[in-house]
Amino acid sequence: MDKKVLRNLSYGVYVVTSKDKGRNIGCVANSIMQVTSNPSVIALSINHDNYTNKIIKETNIFGVSILKETADANIIGTFGFKSSKDTDKFNNIDFKEILGIPVLKDTCGYMICKVIDTMETSTHTIFLGQVIESGDYTNENAMTYKYYHEYLKGSSPKNAPTYEEKSIISADKDNKTKKWKCSICGYIYEGDELPDDFVCPICGVGKEKFELITEE
């Protein structure tokens, strides 16, 4: 089976949020689609291991913030590669609360959804959410998963539906341009050497978390 065909499906990049006993939580998601228009219902896929999955099941409400192409990469790094269980992801993030649910301001817009049904797969929960409040912020382009990969050079978090594990391979002596891969988020830096003060633009880790790689 050639899984590359799945890359032709359209994905966006979103921050899904909820409230855990007064504490704001959330994670990055890329598998969201509109199911019906009247009433407006969307489907959301969240990995069982995500803390956000647990909280949505407990509260039956969640928010969706639609990231734009110019979104701060630290948003993806924080919400995509850290856990809300032990991290305040909203520290230094511009957000507001709608119906008690946090939504990000620097986005294309938001939706607040109440869970009306769920379906379990072996790894993910599919939440059906009816949109009960929404708002637009900008006419800027929404970030697509293709844009995230090709222009920001990011990779899928391990809990994402589109995640595929890729091995790190040895350096190619004939390749003049070295490639360094972030072991946390998969960002690729191309250059002879990583600067000592280099910080990953996706997840914010330092030089010590990068590994030298090349194509086989």
Side-chain angles (χ1 to χ4, degrees):
M1 181 171 65
D2 186 357
K3 290 187 177 181
K4 290 195 298 293
V5 69
L6 294 173
R7 298 175 185 174
N8 293 319
L9 295 175
S10 178
Y11 299 97
V13 183
Y14 316 94
V15 172
V16 176
T17 53
S18 194
K19 182 82 78 171
D20 176 20
K21 298 180 177 65
R23 191 168 66 91
N24 297 326
I25 60 98
C27 67
V28 166
N30 68 346
S31 294
I32 295 178
M33 63 172 289
Q34 183 175 351
V35 178
T36 64
S37 60
N38 190 23
S40 297
V41 175
I42 65 172
L44 160 69
S45 176
I46 298 286
N47 192 284
H48 293 156
D49 293 336
N50 275 25
Y51 192 68
T52 304
N53 182 311
K54 173 180 180 294
I55 301 305
I56 293 175
K57 286 178 178 175
E58 292 177 355
T59 61
N60 287 317
I61 190 169
F62 62 89
V64 175
S65 297
I66 305 168
L67 296 187
K68 56 185 182 180
E69 290 182 349
T70 57
D72 187 343
N74 287 329
I75 292 176
I76 298 175
T78 298
F79 284 90
F81 298 95
K82 298 178 182 180
S83 173
S84 289
K85 191 174 183 179
D86 51 26
T87 302
D88 178 7
K89 296 186 178 183
F90 289 82
N91 187 31
N92 297 321
I93 296 293
D94 195 14
F95 72 96
K96 65 180 181 180
E97 291 194 1
I98 303 294
L99 301 180
I101 300 300
V103 292
L104 278 60
K105 288 186 177 181
D106 191 22
T107 64
C108 290
Y110 67 87
M111 294 176 285
I112 305 296
C113 305
K114 66 175 182 180
V115 177
I116 58 174
D117 206 349
T118 62
M119 181 180 72
E120 297 294 341
T121 72
S122 59
T123 58
H124 289 67
T125 302
I126 310 299
F127 295 97
L128 289 184
Q130 182 173 334
V131 180
I132 56 177
E133 185 61 82
S134 62
D136 252 338
Y137 289 144
T138 178
N139 291 325
E140 292 185 52
N141 290 335
M143 185 185 297
T144 64
Y145 214 56
K146 181 177 181 180
Y147 181 92
Y148 170 64
H149 278 284
E150 293 184 357
Y151 293 93
L152 297 185
K153 299 181 180 179
S155 64
S156 305
K158 66 177 182 178
N159 289 339
T162 52
Y163 174 77
E164 288 187 40
E165 187 171 359
K166 297 180 181 178
S167 60
I168 301 295
I169 52 184
S170 60
D172 179 359
K173 296 180 180 179
D174 296 327
N175 189 349
K176 295 181 180 180
T177 302
K178 294 180 180 178
K179 294 182 180 180
W180 307 82
K181 181 176 181 179
C182 178
S183 60
I184 303 301
C185 71
Y187 174 81
I188 302 295
Y189 172 89
E190 296 186 11
D192 290 335
E193 296 294 338
L194 277 166
D196 290 337
D197 60 351
F198 184 79
V199 174
C200 178
I202 299 297
C203 67
V205 298
K207 172 183 178 180
E208 70 279 0
K209 295 294 185 180
F210 279 74
E211 299 171 295
L212 180 62
I213 64 168
T214 63
E215 300 295 334
E216 289 181 320

